[in-house]
Amino acid sequence: MIDIDPVTLIVSAICMGAFIAPLAYQNFKVKSSESLLQKSFLEVAQQNGIQPEIQERWRNHYQLGLDPKCKKLIYHRYGAYPSQSIIDLSGISKITLDEKNHMVQVKKEKRVIIDYLALQFHYKDPNHPTKSLEIYDGELFSDLAGERVLAGNWKTLLEKTIHS
């Protein structure tokens, strides 16, 4: 049988607790932040009579929700410059992707760097200006994390909703 010194056991327990405590605290903080973001998103949706069946949040900075029954889209951008938008899809004629990029050349290799990506809504009424919903901003984030695919998926989903 192995004898364990009580002092060693206590020191080990304290070291493990000191290692786990910051991780547990960070996890708690992230979950409470996400809960507040979701609560604020659903409050705005409820105030406008929208019940989003399809929702997506990415980078804890953007969130989209779609209510296909009433054909309304709700958008939230959190952070330093928050914004909220509600778009009635029954007044939209088409949706396009607005992408701004620049080319970088390193030796013989050329790369396209995306600076900005947004869904752009064109209204049936020609007097109504187009509306853009930011999906990615290169000033805030250093790399893409699937936003191009995400934007394409939402564009397809919204086009189906418009034409149904």
Side-chain angles (χ1 to χ4, degrees), residues 78-102:
Y78 307 104
Y81 302 104
S83 76
Q84 301 172 350
S85 296
I86 296 173
I87 296 178
D88 185 0
L89 298 174
S90 60
I92 302 295
S93 63
K94 70 176 183 173
I95 301 170
T96 58
L97 289 177
D98 180 19
E99 184 178 306
K100 293 177 176 62
N101 54 42
H102 68 277

Side-chain angles (χ1 to χ4, degrees), residues 35 46 75 92 96 107-108 122 124 138 152 154 156 162:
S35 174
Q46 188 178 31
Y75 170 82
I92 302 295
T96 58
K107 296 183 183 179
K108 292 183 180 181
H122 303 271
K124 293 176 183 174
W154 273 95
T156 303
I162 289 171

Side-chain angles (χ1 to χ4, degrees), residues 2-49:
I2 300 173
D3 289 330
I4 299 175
D5 181 30
V7 175
T8 305
L9 187 61
I10 292 170
V11 169
S12 298
I14 290 171
C15 289
M16 283 179 43
F19 178 76
I20 292 172
L23 299 174
Y25 176 71
Q26 180 65 23
N27 187 31
F28 172 76
K29 209 165 88 171
V30 167
K31 285 188 178 187
S32 65
S33 169
E34 287 176 355
S35 174
L36 288 173
L37 296 178
Q38 184 67 13
K39 185 178 177 184
S40 111
F41 181 79
L42 292 175
E43 281 178 7
V44 172
Q46 188 178 31
Q47 290 170 356
N48 291 285

Side-chain angles (χ1 to χ4, degrees), residues 39-132:
K39 185 178 177 184
S40 111
F41 181 79
L42 292 175
E43 281 178 7
V44 172
Q46 188 178 31
Q47 290 170 356
N48 291 285
I50 300 171
Q51 296 185 348
E53 292 179 13
I54 303 165
Q55 293 183 42
E56 191 158 10
R57 183 175 53 235
W58 61 103
R59 294 191 184 256
N60 275 340
H61 194 77
Y62 304 99
Q63 189 166 0
L64 279 171
L66 174 65
D67 185 346
K69 292 176 186 165
C70 68
K71 291 189 174 185
K72 290 192 178 178
L73 178 73
I74 182 169
Y75 170 82
H76 271 216
R77 181 179 66 215
Y78 307 104
Y81 302 104
S83 76
Q84 301 172 350
S85 296
I86 296 173
I87 296 178
D88 185 0
L89 298 174
S90 60
I92 302 295
S93 63
K94 70 176 183 173
I95 301 170
T96 58
L97 289 177
D98 180 19
E99 184 178 306
K100 293 177 176 62
N101 54 42
H102 68 277
M103 181 84 65
V104 174
Q105 184 169 353
V106 178
K107 296 183 183 179
K108 292 183 180 181
E109 185 180 352
K110 292 182 182 179
R111 289 188 177 202
V112 176
I113 307 296
I114 296 177
D115 297 319
Y116 178 80
L117 184 62
L119 288 170
Q120 202 167 44
F121 296 85
H122 303 271
Y123 287 86
K124 293 176 183 174
D125 178 9
N127 295 327
H128 199 292
T130 60
K131 175 81 174 168
S132 288

